[in-house]
């Protein structure tokens, strides 16, 4: 399968959790994807299991043999706490809980460096009950500092994602974090196109253009206004040709990763239909024609 110029497509392993990682990577290569959004989780590259460096080296060899690149994602639901989804977060009331999450992100940075990945994705987490905004932002700043230091040392961008329902939920929130931290060079943005449709005031294509200087990772799926539900392409409301044209116009060189974390039961079929959909749309845009 030929690779595409401009638009470089990936698929998230959080939507392929019923497959072994080796099989998932082979599937994506066979379908002509350029890369993978690799979520560190117990069923794939477990960041807490022994011999992480050796296992990571094996994945790096497999990616190289398949001609795939990667972004490391850290949105595993229960990788740190089997009782709390995404817990503990960077905003956890317990300082040790926040430190545990920071250490996971530092591990992700090291894995990304060993894989030659484009970026490490993360998010803030939801504000705990009874926590005021000033306290939550201060916790986020402090928890991210060692991660940003690690990212700077490794030369791997940290791409934080605005997530509906989280402290950092919008592009405006990203800019608040960025400026309050003094615009550290390792800090970039993960832009989820569906999230733009869900709650940003501007259309997704405008969000892409506005985010371009800080764009380090892109996630893509369909979505409806006001409903945070990741949908297969065609099941939501997004007008995709302007979005892909805007992405191509930015000169963004990272992966655009299909994000369907609740559809693993149909992962192989959705990986196929998604790449076909995006190729068809890209062929109609000004800046993302076929290779």
């Amino acid at each position: 399968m030929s690779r595409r110029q401009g638009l470089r497509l990936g698929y998230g392993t959080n939507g392929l959790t019923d497959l072994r990682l080796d099989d998932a990577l082979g599937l994506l290569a066979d379908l002509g994807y350029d890369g993978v959004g690799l979520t560190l989780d117990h069923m794939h590259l477990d960041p807490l299991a022994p011999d992480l460096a050796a296992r990571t080296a094996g994945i790096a060899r497999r990616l190289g043999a398949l001609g795939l690149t990667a972004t490391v994602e850290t949105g595993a639901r229960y990788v740190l706490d089997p009782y709390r989804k995404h817990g503990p977060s960077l905003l956890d009331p317990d300082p040790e809980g926040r430190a545990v999450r920071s250490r996971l992100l530092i591990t992700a940075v090291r894995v990304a460096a060993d894989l030659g990945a484009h970026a490490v994705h993360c998010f803030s987490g939801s504000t705990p009950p009874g926590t005021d905004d000033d306290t939550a932002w201060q916790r986020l700043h402090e928890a991210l500092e060692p991660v940003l230091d690690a990212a700077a040392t490794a030369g791997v961008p940290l791409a934080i994602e605005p997530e509906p329902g989280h402290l950092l939920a919008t592009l405006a929130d990203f800019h608040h974090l960025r400026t309050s931290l003094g615009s550290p060079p390792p800090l970039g943005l993960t832009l989820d196109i569906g999230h733009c449709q869900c709650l940003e005031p501007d259309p997704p294509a405008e969000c892409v253009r506005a985010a371009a200087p800080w764009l380090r990772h892109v996630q893509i799926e369909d979505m409806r206004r006001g409903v945070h539900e990741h949908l297969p392409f065609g099941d939501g409301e997004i007008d995709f040709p302007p979005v892909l044209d805007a992405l191509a116009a930015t000169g963004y060189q990272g992966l655009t990763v299909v994000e369907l974390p609740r559809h693993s039961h149909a992962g192989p079929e959705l990986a196929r239909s998604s790449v076909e959909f995006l190729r068809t749309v890209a062929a109609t845009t000004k800046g993302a024609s076929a290779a």
Side-chain angles (χ1 to χ4, degrees):
M1 296 273 184
S2 63
R3 302 302 191 217
R4 309 186 60 82
Q5 294 175 346
L7 186 67
R8 303 181 67 245
L9 298 177
Y11 199 94
T13 59
N14 60 359
L16 296 169
T17 57
D18 291 304
L19 276 67
R20 298 175 184 88
L21 181 56
D22 190 68
D23 292 337
L25 297 178
L27 169 74
L28 298 183
D30 287 345
L31 291 173
Y33 280 93
D34 299 283
V36 59
L38 176 57
T39 296
L40 303 184
D41 208 348
H42 64 87
M43 77 291 292
H44 287 150
L45 186 55
D46 188 342
L48 304 183
D51 301 320
L52 178 60
R55 290 183 287 116
T56 301
I59 298 302
R61 289 191 294 272
R62 177 68 166 153
L63 290 170
L66 294 171
L68 297 174
T69 58
T71 300
V72 173
E73 302 195 353
T74 61
R77 295 183 180 95
Y78 296 100
V79 68
L80 293 178
D81 188 331
Y83 297 96
R84 290 189 295 161
K85 181 181 176 182
H86 299 313
S89 79
L90 296 171
L91 309 180
D92 201 273
D94 179 9
E96 178 54 29
R98 299 195 296 275
V100 167
R101 176 61 63 172
S102 295
R103 288 195 292 270
L104 175 68
L105 297 182
I106 291 169
T107 296
V109 167
R110 293 170 181 155
V111 168
D114 290 345
L115 293 177
H118 301 293
V120 170
H121 148 277
C122 69
F123 44 60
S124 68
S126 301
T127 303
T131 303
D132 62 82
D133 281 352
D134 287 345
T135 298
W137 283 110
Q138 184 61 35
R139 288 176 183 170
L140 182 60
H141 293 173
E142 293 173 357
L144 283 177
E145 284 176 358
V147 185
L148 290 167
D149 288 344
T153 299
V156 177
L158 183 70
I160 194 163
E161 178 187 8
E163 181 81 19
H166 284 203
L167 174 70
L168 198 154
T170 65
L171 285 171
D173 293 331
F174 166 73
H175 289 302
H176 172 73
L177 175 69
R178 178 180 61 83
T179 56
S180 63
L181 287 173
S183 298
L187 181 64
L189 175 70
T190 292
L191 188 70
D192 187 302
I193 302 302
H195 295 173
C196 296
Q197 176 70 21
C198 178
L199 85 172
E200 293 287 350
D202 294 324
E206 289 298 323
C207 292
V208 170
R209 284 186 278 270
W214 302 278
L215 209 54
R216 301 295 180 267
H217 183 43
V218 175
Q219 297 172 343
I220 193 166
E221 69 284 314
D222 218 337
M223 203 168 286
R224 301 186 183 98
R225 184 69 179 169
V227 182
H228 185 203
E229 181 182 4
H230 291 235
L231 299 172
F233 297 111
D235 288 0
E237 301 169 342
I238 297 176
D239 183 15
F240 283 98
V243 172
L244 298 194
D245 198 49
L247 275 172
T250 68
Y252 168 68
Q253 295 296 303
L255 290 173
T256 298
V257 172
V258 179
E259 184 82 356
L260 292 172
R262 297 185 179 181
H263 293 77
S264 282
H265 61 283
E269 173 57 26
L270 282 169
R272 182 195 61 77
S273 61
S274 296
V275 75
E276 290 176 354
F277 175 89
L278 290 170
R279 283 175 179 153
T280 299
V281 173
T284 71
T285 68
K286 294 178 291 184
S289 58

